[in-house]
Amino acid sequence: MRPAPSPPGALSSIQTPVSDFAQTVKQQADIVKVIEGYIRLRKSGAQNYSGLCPFHKEKSPSFSVHAVRQFYHCFGCQASGDVFSFVGKIESVSFPESVRIVAQKMGIPLPKREFSSPEEAAEARQRTKLLELHETATAWFEEQLRGPEGAIAREYLTSRGLDPKGIKEFRIGYAPDSFNALRDRLKGMADDQTLRASGLFSSKEQGDGTQGNLYDRFRKRVLFPIANESGRVIAFTARTLETGEKAGAKYINSPETPLYSKGQVLFNLDKARTAIRQFEFALLVEGQMDCISVFLRGIQNVIATSGTAFTEQQVAMLRRHTSNVVVNFDPDAAGSNAAEKSIALLTEEGFTIKIVTLDGGLDPDRFIRERGVEAYTAAIRDSRRQSDFLIERARQMFPGASADQKVKAMNYLLPHIRRMPEAQARAQFAADAAQKLGIDSAVLREELRQAALRRRDHVETRVTALTEVERVLLRALAISDPENEDARRLAAQALADQPAWFEHLGSYTALQALATRQARDPMEVVDDQAQRALLAEALLAEVKPPEASEVRGAIQEIQERSIEHRQRQLRSLIAEAERRGDFAELALLTQQKLELDRTLRQLHGHRPPKA
Ligand SMILES: [Zn+2]
């Protein structure tokens, strides 16, 4: 049902329930748990966790999560925010959608109205409907596989070494030889437009340019569901059981739909992610059948690219779980091409890669079925470093000891060497290549050396450092519990009364924003990136909020510093007035300086002022 159009001025009454609900979800959600669902986190302090940032490339963790204050901050790329902004960013969804996702993760029931615009509501409704259609279709295909018509498919699956347990685990199904069986099953669930958007159906363009009636896209094919990272089916791969001319393509896939984009899914990641983290590497194979076969024999950290080269989104998805990949691609030429592209991208993104080569040129599925899981595990254990693999490949492609062949082999290797982000790895690769290819020419050696030097390492820039007093004040102003309200009020009051004392602090903008923040979240009120980084730094180092006495001490120190600052100014003004012989000015400035000296002495408890 479409929500009624809102009268002018009714905006707030629509948005209030949204933010109320978001607030409830935020209070109940554990940001550490939610983020851990996407990336690995390690405890790094009393209340905080750190890990590799999912939003930029990095080798050492600069991404932090504060368990109590419920925010994340990356000191590398300055990504920052609360649980909703994290989910929104990583899943590329709108705010209402991320509220919904977090609520679902936490098992919080959704209210009737949770969207800020009718478009968003419609989009979310369509996604929900498309997921329902896919779920129903999956169950229906499974049912068809078990039925009499499915005999041909069952036979095929048995021949591929799949037993009923494996079939059930991967929810493999069968689309019967019919143009309308699935359509008839689903037509009561959604309108024509939604059915069309599902990608489960095809239609022919008519003479007048419109699309004709829908008919089943998948016919007489074995259906392998493709799930998103949460395990919901979003698309299918279908293998034909037809032979001869009628067969068409051996495999066809769902088209791109609002649910499914080929470059944004890693087959089996939903099932493999726990094992990937446990074993600290992912086994990457090309085909879905390879993946299923290997997984069902107990090697559960396996995922598949589905035959095409990796996209950046896929690399980013994988990075959330591991930065180690063992690649076992098909040995055939086409496979090697996509394999090389994927490996190149993974290398550029700083992954550590090892390559498995299977005896007899077998693909993983056949190898594990013919030789057994132990032989396969041994092959994974014997996987070679990527550099060794590439050098070996260069030697095979350009055999012989002639200078010409060596140049060719080197030209093949150089781009691979340059691609590696780490200088040490490049130097090692270059040295290995020189040695194994038997390169003795000084010119070639120099080229290798240059390739190893070429790439500049990423230098991380940090914002200005915080002083201890600033830390105390930032933490005091971020207080939200009534128990420590005194400390917060003291700091806010000082900032309001004596802004001049604070003006020269590096974190002045953040301090000011916090002092007037009212009930809002500390991290939310600071807009400036660099300022937010300072606040994050102070809060992440926090064990408990500061006491009122600490705040008083910090304010006093800042007052002293500001006086000292003014004293220095006065000293140079006095010297200037003396040079000019301006005695009236001199008397005035000296008077001011004496007053400051007195104040400072009082502050210091009658100690003489600092020089
Ligand atoms: Zn980052």
Side-chain angles (χ1 to χ4, degrees):
M1 193 188 77
R2 184 170 279 276
S6 48
L11 196 64
S12 61
S13 66
I14 290 173
Q15 285 187 337
T16 308
V18 174
S19 62
D20 275 358
F21 179 66
Q23 207 53 42
T24 313
V25 174
K26 195 168 165 176
Q27 276 159 9
Q28 293 180 36
D30 178 349
I31 192 172
V32 177
K33 272 222 187 81
V34 172
I35 292 181
E36 265 184 331
Y38 298 94
I39 63 170
R40 289 177 301 162
L41 290 175
R42 244 202 312 268
K43 201 159 170 35
S44 58
Q47 297 166 331
N48 55 65
Y49 294 76
S50 66
L52 292 176
C53 178
F55 305 124
H56 84 282
K57 292 177 212 171
E58 64 175 2
K59 271 264 171 177
S60 56
S62 47
F63 180 86
S64 297
V65 184
H66 199 292
V68 178
R69 295 198 173 275
Q70 296 283 302
F71 72 85
Y72 68 94
H73 185 89
C74 172
F75 291 97
C77 69
Q78 309 297 328
S80 189
D82 62 8
V83 65
F84 301 133
S85 107
F86 182 88
V87 170
K89 209 167 149 120
I90 205 154
E91 302 251 15
S92 307
V93 292
S94 63
F95 176 78
E97 184 71 4
S98 65
V99 173
R100 251 164 49 88
I101 292 173
V102 175
Q104 268 166 353
K105 282 183 202 289
M106 296 293 128
I108 302 165
L110 298 167
K112 286 262 154 29
R113 179 184 284 172
E114 73 252 31
F115 301 101
S116 54
S117 77
E119 292 76 26
E120 266 167 350
E123 217 173 90
R125 264 200 312 275
Q126 192 195 40
R127 284 175 63 93
T128 308
K129 186 48 89 179
L130 292 177
L131 284 170
E132 271 172 39
L133 289 174
H134 275 83
E135 177 52 40
T136 307
T138 306
W140 186 79
F141 289 139
E142 285 181 283
E143 206 180 296
Q144 303 310 304
L145 181 68
R146 290 189 297 263
E149 273 195 82
I152 174 179
R154 291 198 299 273
E155 209 171 289
Y156 164 76
L157 290 168
T158 309
S159 78
R160 295 297 306 256
L162 277 160
D163 62 9
K165 194 169 152 278
I167 289 170
K168 196 171 167 208
E169 174 132 32
F170 281 89
R171 305 195 66 186
I172 299 166
Y174 175 65
D177 195 5
S178 157
F179 280 91
N180 49 33
L182 181 66
R183 191 191 62 202
D184 291 345
R185 172 65 187 85
L186 298 184
K187 74 178 172 204
M189 288 180 66
D191 56 29
D192 227 45
Q193 193 197 346
T194 311
L195 290 178
R196 216 175 272 277
S198 75
L200 295 167
F201 304 99
S202 302
S203 59
K204 290 232 154 55
E205 197 177 323
Q206 306 296 97
D208 59 2
T210 60
Q211 288 295 318
N213 287 337
L214 295 174
Y215 58 90
D216 293 8
R217 179 184 297 272
F218 307 116
R219 300 174 307 277
K220 202 172 177 187
R221 283 175 181 263
V222 176
L223 278 259
F224 299 93
I226 297 171
N228 61 16
E229 230 183 303
S230 330
R232 309 282 304 264
V233 176
I234 53 172
F236 293 96
T237 293
R239 191 201 187 277
T240 185
L241 292 175
E242 205 75 75
T243 45
E245 277 174 26
K246 265 186 79 185
K250 192 167 160 193
Y251 287 98
I252 56 173
N253 284 312
S254 294
E256 303 270 315
T257 70
L259 285 184
Y260 172 66
S261 173
K262 191 175 163 69
Q264 290 179 20
V265 178
L266 278 172
F267 183 75
N268 205 42
L269 186 58
D270 57 315
K271 289 191 175 67
R273 49 198 244 170
T274 312
I276 288 174
R277 290 192 192 179
Q278 189 184 343
F279 297 110
E280 296 185 345
F281 75 92
L283 174 63
L284 185 61
V285 298
E286 248 178 312
Q288 290 165 355
M289 267 316 288
D290 290 325
C291 184
I292 292 172
S293 175
V294 167
F295 182 92
L296 288 174
R297 282 165 183 85
I299 298 170
Q300 301 202 326
N301 53 337
V302 61
I303 51 174
T305 59
S306 309
T308 46
F310 252 22
T311 64
E312 284 189 17
Q313 290 102 314
Q314 287 171 320
V315 172
M317 288 173 80
L318 190 53
R319 202 207 328 272
R320 291 192 236 123
H321 305 284
T322 187
S323 51
N324 300 310
V325 175
V326 174
V327 177
N328 184 9
F329 285 163
D330 289 356
D332 61 67
S336 287
N337 230 336
E340 269 188 17
K341 274 189 198 144
S342 299
I343 291 168
L345 186 57
L346 287 167
T347 309
E348 271 173 24
E349 303 279 328
F351 277 73
T352 305
I353 298 156
K354 287 181 152 195
I355 317 264
V356 182
T357 341
L358 296 175
D359 257 12
L362 294 178
D363 62 33
D365 173 39
R366 273 193 61 193
F367 187 93
I368 203 165
R369 281 196 285 142
E370 287 178 15
R371 313 269 176 98
V373 68
E374 261 145 60
Y376 190 66
T377 313
I380 292 173
R381 221 177 9 246
D382 291 343
S383 57
R384 278 177 304 169
R385 282 188 311 172
Q386 179 206 8
S387 54
D388 294 341
F389 171 84
L390 289 168
I391 293 167
E392 188 51 43
R393 204 168 140 74
R395 284 170 60 174
Q396 281 168 5
M397 287 189 324
F398 312 101
S402 71
D404 182 45
Q405 289 292 80
K406 283 182 186 176
V407 170
K408 281 183 184 152
M410 256 197 41
N411 282 337
Y412 167 76
L413 290 178
L414 286 174
H416 292 284
I417 296 174
R418 289 201 192 99
R419 209 171 273 134
M420 304 185 108
E422 275 180 49
Q424 216 186 331
R426 285 198 304 277
Q428 183 65 51
F429 193 161
D432 287 353
Q435 197 238 321
K436 288 186 183 149
L437 296 174
I439 289 170
D440 33 30
S441 139
V443 179
L444 293 186
R445 278 185 177 276
E446 179 56 22
E447 275 226 46
L448 276 174
R449 203 181 67 82
Q450 285 298 330
L453 289 176
R454 197 73 46 95
R455 188 163 169 158
R456 206 167 25 144
D457 275 311
H458 171 70
V459 184
E460 286 203 359
T461 48
R462 289 291 296 261
V463 281
T464 38
L466 279 176
T467 58
E468 189 47 40
V469 288
E470 288 176 277
R471 280 175 211 279
V472 171
L473 290 174
L474 286 169
R475 282 161 45 205
L477 290 168
I479 285 171
S480 43
D481 54 319
E483 213 174 298
N484 296 294
E485 174 60 17
D486 278 358
R488 195 200 64 79
R489 204 172 324 113
L490 260 173
Q493 198 62 48
L495 265 147
D497 293 348
Q498 303 284 352
W501 293 355
F502 302 88
E503 268 166 12
H504 57 279
L505 295 176
S507 58
Y508 181 60
T509 312
L511 288 168
Q512 243 191 346
L514 286 176
T516 53
R517 80 187 154 95
Q518 286 159 349
R520 289 174 66 200
D521 242 23
M523 288 293 285
E524 271 171 27
V525 297
V526 181
D527 296 326
D528 181 73
Q529 260 191 8
Q531 291 288 310
R532 203 165 47 220
L534 293 175
L535 177 59
E537 193 188 324
L539 296 181
L540 285 164
E542 172 181 68
V543 183
K544 56 180 178 46
E547 309 269 333
S549 60
E550 262 180 280
V551 175
R552 229 174 264 122
I555 294 170
Q556 182 178 329
E557 198 175 326
I558 281 169
Q559 186 189 357
E560 286 172 18
R561 263 200 249 155
S562 113
I563 291 173
E564 283 160 10
H565 183 71
R566 179 69 186 145
Q567 279 177 325
R568 278 194 298 278
Q569 277 182 334
L570 282 172
R571 268 199 291 273
S572 65
L573 288 173
I574 286 170
E576 175 78 2
E578 274 174 349
R579 253 201 313 281
R580 282 201 317 264
D582 185 345
F583 295 105
E585 177 77 3
L586 190 60
L588 202 70
L589 291 169
T590 311
Q591 179 63 26
Q592 279 183 23
K593 184 170 177 299
L594 288 174
E595 270 167 34
L596 285 179
D597 288 349
R598 197 163 46 241
T599 317
L600 201 56
R601 257 199 312 281
Q602 278 164 2
L603 283 171
H604 282 166
H606 304 292
R607 275 177 295 143
K610 285 175 198 163

